Amino acid sequence: MKILVFGATGKTGREITRQALSNGDEVIAYVRHPENLSEQTGVTIVGEQLNDLDRIKQTMTGVDAVLVALGAVNNSGIEIMAPAVATHY
């Protein structure tokens, strides 16, 4: 199975990725800061912002599941989820 994970650098996203890989799945990690994620076999890292709709659509092509592990805010207090959702509507 090919799984797209938004927020793969956070605690939940890392656990989702770990479980998917242990299950034999392929993971596409869509992250804002690819430097915060180490390269792993079975993981394709896509570094991009959450408001790049064309890149998101392109990345979603051919995936079997999309899992969203975005937090409400990041460590510096900047909102993540609300702007990402608002961009799509």
Side-chain angles (χ1 to χ4, degrees):
M1 179 179 280
K2 188 183 236 181
I3 300 171
L4 172 58
V5 179
F6 286 94
T9 57
K11 290 180 184 178
T12 303
R14 288 179 190 270
E15 180 61 18
I16 289 169
T17 299
R18 186 194 68 74
Q19 288 186 28
L21 292 174
S22 70
N23 195 42
D25 298 320
E26 178 184 346
V27 174
I28 300 172
Y30 193 101
V31 297
R32 291 178 303 130
H33 300 286
E35 67 277 6
N36 293 338
L37 193 61
S38 60
E39 292 190 26
Q40 302 174 64
T41 301
V43 177
T44 301
I45 301 171
V46 176
E48 194 57 71
Q49 297 300 313
L50 294 168
N51 62 355
D52 189 336
L53 296 179
D54 290 333
R55 184 68 168 148
I56 290 172
K57 288 176 187 176
Q58 179 185 23
T59 304
M60 289 179 71
T61 302
V63 301
D64 300 301
V66 177
L67 300 172
V68 179
L70 298 174
V73 295
N74 68 12
N75 292 338
S76 62
I78 297 171
E79 289 186 353
I80 297 172
M81 183 63 88
V85 172
T87 300
H88 302 290
Y89 295 99

